[in-house]
């Protein structure tokens, strides 16, 4: 949906325009004036491209969602997904971490982006592999990053893991798809990944900045290619692209990277 949500200081969640939430008076699914969606909300997460939806965590740590989370009808009213949830990251796969450090996911799994070992046929215009119920992926997770066709997670021991589509060799192997988590790096403090992750960056515990993935220059991290204008341009580029499967350090003594 093309809409907006706002979390007020009194923990009320409101939405307007095409929020996929029915107006309580007219019953219509589109509204241009704010309507209250939920009370006791402490965090919201919105996904705008592809399958569009909004998720929120309430004060009791319950996780709720409305919109089109998977290849199904729109959820016009919020539905509860789980309890004891800490944070969410989502694309067409919906990933969340619970208070015990366990990582769960549901939604599109065409390229193994849920990390449970299953995949579809790889066709982007179909959804052959979908998880309609949450699947436990791994334990001991502190950060999760859902990106187009792939997912990354940092564990409490500082290791960085990834799974899903591997066209830019960001998962550290030469396989086109990695449907199970693959370890990428150690001693990771924080990660920055574009929405369509072709290149990634992370800070380690010593303040060094590392980079890995695809580049359109001889040195990864110098001129990372983040966009392409057509399928033809992309196909031509990827045949000659350079891939850095293992992260390389590009700068030391870094405090912040954006």
């Amino acid at each position: 949906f093309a809409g907006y949500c706002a979390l007020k200081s009194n923990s009320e969640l409101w939405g307007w325009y095409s929020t996929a939430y029915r107006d309580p008076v007219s019953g219509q699914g589109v509204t241009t004036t704010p309507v209250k969606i939920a009370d006791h909300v402490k965090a919201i997460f919105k996904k705008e491209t592809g399958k569009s939806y909004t998720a929120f965590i309430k004060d009791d740590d319950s996780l709720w969602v409305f919109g089109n989370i998977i290849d199904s009808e729109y959820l016009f009213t919020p539905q509860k997904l789980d309890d004891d949830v800490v944070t969410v990251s989502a694309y067409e796969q919906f990933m969340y971490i619970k208070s015990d450090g366990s990582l769960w996911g549901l939604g599109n799994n065409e390229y193994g982006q849920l990390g449970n070992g299953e995949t579809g046929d790889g066709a982007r215009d179909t959804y052959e592999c979908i998880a309609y119920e949450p699947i436990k992926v791994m334990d001991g997770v502190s950060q999760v990053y859902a990106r187009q066709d792939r997912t990354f997670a940092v564990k409490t021991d500082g290791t960085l893991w990834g799974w899903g589509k591997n066209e830019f060799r960001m998962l550290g192997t030469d396989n086109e798809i990695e449907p199970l988590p693959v370890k990428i790096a150690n001693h990771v403090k924080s990660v920055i990944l574009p929405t369509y992750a072709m290149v990634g960056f992370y800070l380690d515990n010593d303040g060094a900045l590392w980079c890995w993935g695809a580049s359109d220059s001889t040195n990864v991290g110098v001129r990372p290619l983040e966009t392409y204008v057509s399928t033809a341009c992309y196909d031509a580029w990827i045949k000659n692209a350079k891939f850095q499967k293992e992260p390389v350090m590009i700068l030391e003594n870094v405090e912040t990277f954006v």
Side-chain angles (χ1 to χ4, degrees):
F1 50 86
Y4 306 92
C5 291
L7 181 59
K8 298 181 68 173
S9 58
N10 62 357
S11 299
E12 292 178 348
L13 177 62
W14 289 68
W16 61 96
Y17 189 45
S18 174
T19 62
Y21 185 83
R22 291 192 184 277
D23 185 282
V25 177
S26 67
Q28 298 299 311
V30 176
T31 178
T32 56
T33 58
V35 294
K36 188 168 74 170
I37 296 170
D39 292 300
H40 311 295
V41 177
K42 66 178 181 179
I44 56 176
F45 310 87
K46 185 181 179 185
K47 195 275 182 177
E48 299 186 33
T49 57
K51 301 299 178 182
S52 301
Y53 52 85
T54 295
F56 57 89
I57 299 176
K58 302 188 78 170
D59 291 338
D60 62 0
D61 296 326
S62 60
L63 175 62
W64 299 71
V65 65
F66 63 96
N68 192 350
I69 185 173
I70 47 181
D71 193 29
S72 62
E73 293 183 1
Y74 270 69
L75 302 177
F76 287 104
T77 59
Q79 291 190 12
K80 183 178 177 181
L81 283 182
D82 213 333
D83 291 301
D84 302 317
V85 175
V86 176
T87 191
V88 171
S89 182
Y91 200 81
E92 289 188 351
Q93 72 276 28
F94 188 91
M95 313 298 297
Y96 61 92
I97 303 173
K98 301 189 70 172
S99 59
D100 62 0
S102 59
L103 176 64
W104 298 72
L106 73 158
N108 186 16
N109 197 27
E110 191 71 19
Y111 299 101
Q113 55 263 56
L114 292 183
N116 67 333
E118 298 181 0
T119 64
D121 63 0
R124 190 170 295 281
D125 57 347
T126 62
Y127 289 83
E128 286 197 341
C129 190
I130 297 174
Y132 291 94
E133 298 293 333
I135 296 172
K136 184 177 179 181
V137 181
M138 61 199 316
D139 289 306
V141 178
S142 60
Q143 305 169 45
V144 62
Y145 305 86
R147 297 297 184 262
Q148 183 170 340
D149 302 332
R150 56 194 70 88
T151 304
F152 300 86
V154 178
K155 302 189 73 172
T156 53
D157 62 2
T159 54
L160 172 63
W161 299 72
W163 54 92
K165 196 171 184 180
N166 193 32
E167 60 189 319
F168 308 117
R169 305 302 181 261
M170 292 187 68
L171 305 180
T173 73
D174 290 320
N175 299 325
E176 290 299 320
I177 292 176
E178 290 290 354
L180 291 170
V182 176
K183 188 166 77 168
I184 299 169
N186 298 298
H187 313 297
V188 175
K189 181 180 179 181
S190 61
V191 181
I192 291 182
L193 292 157
T195 299
Y196 189 69
M198 299 170 69
V199 63
F201 300 87
Y202 72 83
L203 283 173
D204 69 16
N205 294 328
D206 296 321
L209 178 65
W210 297 71
C211 184
W212 83 108
S215 176
D216 63 351
S217 74
T218 57
N219 294 307
V220 67
V222 177
R223 291 174 57 215
L225 181 66
E226 296 298 343
T227 59
Y228 53 90
V229 295
S230 68
T231 300
C233 288
Y234 170 76
D235 290 343
W237 172 81
I238 201 168
K239 288 181 179 179
N240 300 306
K242 299 179 183 299
F243 301 106
Q244 182 66 42
K245 292 187 291 185
E246 296 184 3
V248 293
M249 187 176 68
I250 58 176
L251 198 61
E252 293 183 292
N253 302 316
V254 177
E255 291 187 2
T256 304
F257 177 73
V258 295

